[in-house]
Amino acid sequence: MSPFDLSEKRIVVTGGAGHLGRHLCQGFLDAGADVVSLSSKSVPIAGVHSIVCDLAKPDELAEALGNHPIDGLVQCAARAPRHADLAMSGEAFLQGFETTVALYFSVMQAAIPRMPFGGAIVNVASMWGQVAPTRDIYLGMKIDPSFAGSAAAAAIAHLGKHMAAELAGKNIRVNTLIPGWFPRKSGPDNPAYMHEITSRVPMRRIGQPQELVGPATFLLSPAA
């Protein structure tokens, strides 16, 4: 058996209908996993159990998870706003920050009791939690990360470290994937913007969603 095999593993993916989530679901399915997507939209992938729900509502989350034991949780359902607005209120900042961080925490909190035999959690954050974006990259389109979004990305990474230490005794591993540029559109819509991005990347290209499948599969598998 391959150490990267996920056969007979039940893997839950939040945000499974999203840009990254769809490819992760397909990749885990290809690795033999029983894949469950929890998202605001249905996932059109044969073999994936797609459950449409609002993860921020505890009752809906609990019902979607059910009573089945799970072996892995992958979170990529961030909800942070866009654009760094210096005029935003403290209340708006806190709401944007809490929306994502509290969601990641509450889903982990709900999943942990459903991992009685141990397992793995993989949270997907962002490079903007590690380095600061500069507004000129975004050419005035107001799609730059918000202050709340970048702060949330940093918090998710550190929350993962704290959870890893806390859950080690339960045989649950917690890791965070921190992608660089993985924009939804790959170029023809705005070549000037794509040039701004790729000129800052040593390989002169953006990331493709399927490139996260390997690292995520490794972190979920016995190989990790």
Side-chain angles (χ1 to χ4, degrees), residues 44-60:
I45 300 175
V48 172
H49 305 287
S50 183
I51 301 174
V52 176
C53 65
D54 185 345
L55 296 169
K57 296 181 178 178
D59 291 346
E60 287 193 30

Side-chain angles (χ1 to χ4, degrees), residues 24 28 122 177 209-221 224:
L24 290 170
F28 302 151
V122 179
L177 281 179
Q210 60 269 24
E211 292 175 310
L212 291 180
V213 172
T217 300
F218 162 70
L219 292 172
L220 291 169
S221 74

Side-chain angles (χ1 to χ4, degrees), residues 7-168:
S7 295
E8 300 183 4
K9 303 283 189 184
R10 185 177 178 86
I11 308 297
V12 173
V13 181
T14 67
H19 177 54
L20 302 180
R22 291 196 309 275
H23 289 83
L24 290 170
C25 285
Q26 183 64 65
F28 302 151
L29 194 67
D30 293 342
D34 177 18
V35 182
V36 180
S37 166
L38 308 185
S39 189
S40 59
K41 296 180 181 178
S42 180
V43 180
I45 300 175
V48 172
H49 305 287
S50 183
I51 301 174
V52 176
C53 65
D54 185 345
L55 296 169
K57 296 181 178 178
D59 291 346
E60 287 193 30
L61 173 60
E63 183 177 355
L65 287 173
N67 296 318
H68 305 287
I70 64 176
D71 301 288
L73 168 68
V74 178
Q75 297 206 80
C76 50
R79 296 184 176 185
R82 306 290 291 187
H83 187 50
D85 181 8
L86 280 169
M88 75 184 304
S89 67
E91 182 180 357
F93 173 88
L94 188 59
Q95 182 178 10
F97 177 82
E98 285 185 340
T99 296
T100 295
V101 179
L103 185 67
Y104 272 59
F105 176 75
S106 61
V107 174
M108 284 192 285
Q109 191 177 42
I112 290 164
R114 293 170 171 83
M115 294 181 166
F117 309 110
I121 296 172
V122 179
N123 295 322
V124 180
S126 164
M127 69 175 180
W128 298 131
Q130 310 296 308
V131 296
T134 54
R135 191 173 298 193
D136 61 313
I137 298 171
Y138 297 91
L139 305 178
M141 293 185 291
K142 295 187 176 181
I143 58 170
D144 51 307
S146 68
F147 296 117
S150 58
I156 288 168
H158 195 76
L159 176 62
K161 294 176 183 179
H162 196 161
M163 280 289 197
E166 183 71 17
L167 300 178

